[in-house]
Amino acid sequence: MQKNENGKATWFSSRLFCENGAGNIRSYPHPVENSVDKTAFSCGKTPEKHVDSMWKTSEDAEERQKYRLCHGFSTRHGGGVSTDPYLSDMNFGFSVGEDRALTKENYRRFAASLGIGEDHPVCAWQTHTNLVYAVTQADRGMGIDENHPLPGGIYADGFDALVTREPGLALTIRTADCVPILFWDPVHAVIGAAHAGWKGTLGCIAENTVSAMEALGAKRRDILVSVGNAVGLCCYEIDDAFYERFLSVFGADICERVFAKSADYENPDRFHCDLRLLNQIILEKAGVPSAHIEVSPFCTCCQPDVFFSHRYAVKHQGGKRGLMAAMIAMERVQWP
């Protein structure tokens, strides 16, 4: 977790990604064994920008592509230019009442803080689908440049996840309680990003993202996944109809793990739902090793001073709030 001069969290990085070489220069193909540590979420420091010595001596290094994995989950803070109190200073939503130029500047600043080129972010057109779009260089600026055309065909009504194997594209999704998920195959150089709201989770968008990455050459046994900050079981109250939808798709055994009632809840007779855990289960059943999946412990609704939260905003701010971003890119490295 990065903090500003006032001690406020500005963005989170994945410990799982960092411990597997995020931030280091890599060449591909890159035949290495994963060394994962499923512990905490947040790296505590900016990934080191040093050259891995193994590539200095590799005989065929000059024939390989060389780039660095950059990523981050934003918070409300981070040296942005948003001025409305309900937006703090780092809003990424274009439809929350802020001048578009200010929001675009936040994208530029966040990307720069992660070591990502300012014109590299590409945003999903999020409409709570389970569709995954494979991004190419032709899509650069999509979702940020208002004049950039959106895909047609099956994507004409939206898509909530992105995948690519091309460097210089920062896959970006936006959330304010929904689950942000970043994916990286460090062996085959494929990345992904998914926005998993309840509809996307019901449609197994996390599994769909893994399948889309495999279509680009990834292997699910090699994929690392970081499930980011989202509303937790503690705050995500749902109704019986919601529960029945999930029961019909996932069955009683999984729902028993994901849903709960408690005397400690404001409404003890209402179910609460753990979408982060459910996405973890979906990924494990899809063949991603459990040790390759990291889940944030932080609830966005519990910490409105750190995160944007739709549920908190509806209760306390008349629904006014911003959006956070999760961003991942493979940035090409200049090689002497």
Side-chain angles (χ1 to χ4, degrees):
M1 177 174 63
Q2 304 301 303
K3 294 185 178 181
N4 61 17
E5 64 277 7
N6 297 319
K8 293 182 178 180
T10 57
W11 55 270
F12 288 79
S13 55
S14 163
R15 176 169 294 185
L16 183 66
F17 289 4
C18 291
E19 292 183 352
N20 282 272
N24 293 345
I25 294 174
R26 285 174 172 263
S27 297
Y28 289 94
H30 183 53
V32 299
E33 293 294 326
N34 289 329
S35 175
V36 301
D37 181 1
K38 185 183 176 185
T39 53
F41 178 76
S42 87
C43 195
K45 62 183 178 64
T46 302
E48 296 176 5
K49 307 264 192 309
H50 66 269
V51 178
D52 190 328
S53 60
M54 69 182 292
W55 301 120
K56 291 182 177 179
T57 58
S58 175
E59 294 180 0
D60 61 345
E62 293 304 316
E63 299 177 3
R64 304 184 181 201
Q65 293 189 76
K66 302 171 185 65
Y67 42 89
R68 168 183 295 124
L69 193 282
C70 303
H71 74 286
F73 297 86
S74 79
T75 68
R76 296 181 60 141
H77 313 287
V81 295
S82 300
T83 57
D84 288 320
Y86 68 92
L87 296 179
S88 279
D89 65 83
M90 206 63 170
N91 162 60
F92 293 91
F94 287 109
S95 59
V96 295
E98 179 175 64
D99 183 87
R100 191 177 188 91
L102 295 178
T103 310
K104 291 176 72 172
E105 175 62 14
N106 287 341
Y107 278 89
R108 189 194 69 78
R109 294 190 180 197
F110 184 50
S113 73
L114 302 178
I116 293 171
E118 64 180 61
D119 63 340
H120 292 183
V122 176
C123 290
W125 182 20
Q126 298 171 197
T127 55
H128 294 276
T129 71
N130 65 350
L131 298 180
V132 185
Y133 181 68
V135 175
T136 68
Q137 296 296 333
D139 298 303
R140 185 176 290 182
M142 182 178 68
I144 298 176
D145 181 352
E146 60 269 39
N147 297 316
H148 194 289
L150 292 166
I154 64 170
Y155 303 108
D157 294 323
F159 45 93
D160 286 71
L162 304 167
V163 295
T164 194
R165 63 174 303 138
E166 297 189 23
L169 292 169
L171 310 184
T172 308
I173 56 93
R174 296 163 285 208
T175 60
D177 278 344
C178 293
V179 184
I181 312 177
L182 297 181
F183 304 74
W184 176 37
D185 181 339
V187 179
H188 305 95
V190 183
I191 57 175
H195 160 254
W198 73 262
K199 291 182 180 179
T201 300
L202 188 65
C204 295
I205 191 170
E207 180 180 0
N208 292 355
T209 305
V210 168
S211 297
M213 291 176 67
E214 279 200 320
L216 297 180
K219 301 294 183 185
R220 58 188 66 202
R221 67 175 180 268
D222 297 317
I223 294 173
L224 308 178
V225 184
S226 187
V227 180
N229 311 303
V231 64
L233 178 69
C234 50
C235 295
Y236 192 17
E237 180 184 295
I238 54 92
D239 58 27
D240 289 346
F242 182 107
Y243 172 79
E244 293 296 334
R245 288 191 189 97
F246 281 75
L247 183 65
S248 66
V249 172
F250 296 106
D253 289 345
I254 289 177
C255 286
E256 186 175 348
R257 297 172 59 188
V258 172
F259 293 89
K261 293 181 180 180
S262 172
D264 295 330
Y265 296 155
E266 182 179 356
N267 296 305
D269 294 330
R270 299 287 291 270
F271 277 111
H272 281 215
C273 176
D274 190 341
L275 281 184
R276 288 174 298 186
L277 174 58
L278 181 52
N279 277 282
Q280 178 183 350
I281 293 170
I282 290 169
L283 287 162
E284 290 171 345
K285 291 179 70 68
V288 177
S290 58
H292 287 203
I293 304 169
E294 167 191 70
V295 181
S296 166
F298 301 115
C299 171
T300 48
C301 191
C302 282
Q303 300 185 63
D305 58 325
V306 177
F307 306 111
F308 290 120
S309 167
H310 172 71
R311 281 155 192 81
Y312 181 87
V314 168
K315 288 184 177 181
H316 304 286
Q317 298 172 178
K320 292 184 176 181
R321 45 84 181 161
L323 288 170
M324 298 173 294
M327 191 178 291
I328 186 168
M330 296 181 294
E331 290 295 294
R332 196 182 297 276
V333 175
Q334 292 292 331
W335 195 256

